[in-house]
Amino acid sequence: MPWIQLRVSTTEEKAEQVSDMLMGWGAQAVSFLDAHDTPIYEPMPGEVIYWTNTVVVGLFDAEHPMDKVVKQLQQVSFFKDGVDYKLEQLEDKDWEREWMDNFHPIKFGRRLWVCPSWRDIPDPTAVNVMLDPGLAFGTGTHPTTALCMQWLDATIEPQQTVVDFGCGSGILGIAALKLGAKRVVGVDIDPQAIEASHANAKRNNVEGQIELYLPKDQPANFQADVVVANILAGPLAELKQTISAYVKPGGQLALSGILQSQAQSVIDAYSDEFSFDPVAVQDEWVRLSARKHS
């Protein structure tokens, strides 16, 4: 069915209020966009952070009386100097089908592929991770995930143990298992991530080799050959003691979710226990890799 999109420019202080108003006036969905391409850094668990200049986007049925919505918007008191808005007609199309058509198998390193279930596997002899994007972040398309996948392809050896800290969709832990690791422990703050990781592990026939935990249940006194943490720079620094404790002496560590400008602060947080390799960069993101002192 056809849709109309109403874009309203506002501030971070008023974004949620504008969202509530649009929903109250009949929007079927609301999303938030950055008006000036300013990166958001580290939200704490459960925290929502808006941009200084935020665009609130409301999606309405094309038959909805948008003249009434616009009139109500113009009467909002904090838009006393005038409201900056734009109405856009969206083409009537099968958005889910179009998205699926544009999601293709992706290769990482020499032998590792991520393949959606509705696509043919390009190389049946390669290491293929079958992954359908769902509720949790992590499909391989973001540079931070891609950098970690490339590192795993070059690093994992048979029978190693792995910790995937901030496992999201489970993509990194599942890739490690299919590359030859024998056991993976995945940890995430989001129950939906645990659910998605379980489903993806089952899809890849590795559910018996992966253990998934919320932080309150994560195992203590466990050390792995390889630890990968693809979260954000702030939590990486704050959780240094927890993450580094999972790496056995002489073990390897990969850290990502880090902007180039943040890399040195993360290195500084871990440098007392780890020797770092050269930084790997993709777009504005970096992956740090290191080996723990014996």
Side-chain angles (χ1 to χ4, degrees):
M1 79 192 233
W3 299 92
I4 289 178
Q5 186 171 268
L6 174 60
R7 300 164 63 98
V8 183
S9 298
T10 186
T11 63
E12 60 181 321
E13 294 84 8
K14 301 298 183 184
E16 192 164 351
Q17 190 172 346
V18 173
S19 170
D20 290 342
M21 287 189 292
L22 295 185
M23 291 297 290
W25 296 336
Q28 301 298 303
V30 173
S31 58
F32 302 92
L33 299 174
D34 173 15
H36 296 304
D37 195 27
T38 306
I40 279 184
Y41 295 107
E42 291 74 37
M44 296 302 292
E47 181 183 13
V48 178
I49 299 178
Y50 302 109
W51 296 272
T52 302
N53 299 283
T54 297
V55 177
V56 184
V57 184
L59 190 66
F60 294 82
D61 185 305
E63 301 300 319
H64 197 81
M66 295 308 297
D67 54 344
K68 181 179 178 181
V69 172
V70 170
K71 184 175 180 180
Q72 290 172 304
L73 186 64
Q74 291 171 330
Q75 293 173 348
V76 174
S77 60
F78 54 74
F79 288 131
K80 60 179 182 292
D81 296 325
V83 57
D84 182 3
Y85 73 93
K86 183 178 181 180
L87 284 170
E88 299 172 319
Q89 181 83 41
L90 298 183
E91 183 181 350
D92 186 12
K93 61 174 69 175
D94 186 341
W95 294 102
E96 181 178 6
R97 171 52 55 187
E98 178 166 295
W99 178 85
M100 289 174 68
D101 289 345
N102 287 315
F103 193 82
H104 299 275
I106 309 169
K107 187 179 183 182
F108 304 95
R110 297 181 298 106
R111 52 187 172 146
L112 182 59
W113 286 83
V114 170
C115 306
S117 63
W118 59 88
R119 293 283 187 185
D120 292 334
I121 296 173
D123 182 2
T125 66
V127 177
N128 292 295
V129 175
M130 308 307 296
L131 186 80
D132 290 351
L135 296 173
F137 172 83
T139 62
T141 57
H142 194 275
T144 61
T145 310
L147 287 164
C148 290
M149 293 287 279
Q150 293 160 8
W151 183 79
L152 288 171
D153 177 74
T155 301
I156 293 295
E157 297 179 1
Q159 300 301 301
Q160 286 186 319
T161 53
V162 177
V163 169
D164 180 4
F165 197 90
C167 57
S169 66
I171 183 173
L172 299 179
I174 294 166
L177 289 169
K178 301 200 82 169
L179 286 163
K182 67 177 180 180
R183 178 190 178 193
V184 167
V185 170
V187 180
D188 204 286
I189 63 172
D190 187 347
Q192 289 186 335
I194 302 299
E195 179 183 335
S197 294
H198 271 299
N200 286 322
K202 186 173 183 179
R203 183 176 289 115
N204 285 274
N205 299 311
V206 296
E207 66 269 30
Q209 297 168 265
I210 189 167
E211 304 163 27
L212 298 161
Y213 301 96
L214 293 169
K216 65 183 179 65
D217 302 317
Q218 66 191 40
N221 304 316
F222 172 70
Q223 290 193 308
D225 300 297
V226 173
V227 174
V228 58
N230 180 23
I231 45 178
L232 290 167
L236 285 173
E238 293 166 15
L239 297 170
K240 183 261 182 180
Q241 294 301 325
T242 301
I243 294 171
S244 62
Y246 275 127
V247 188
K248 65 172 53 175
Q252 293 178 272
L253 172 68
L255 304 171
S256 197
I258 306 165
L259 293 166
Q260 284 184 271
S261 60
Q262 301 168 321
Q264 191 57 52
S265 65
V266 177
I267 291 172
D268 290 344
Y270 285 78
S271 59
D272 61 328
E273 294 187 68
F274 292 86
S275 298
F276 280 84
D277 301 321
V279 173
V281 181
Q282 184 173 330
D283 298 333
E284 61 183 326
W285 300 94
V286 304
R287 182 206 68 232
L288 305 175
S289 58
R291 188 175 292 274
K292 192 171 188 180
H293 302 152
S294 299

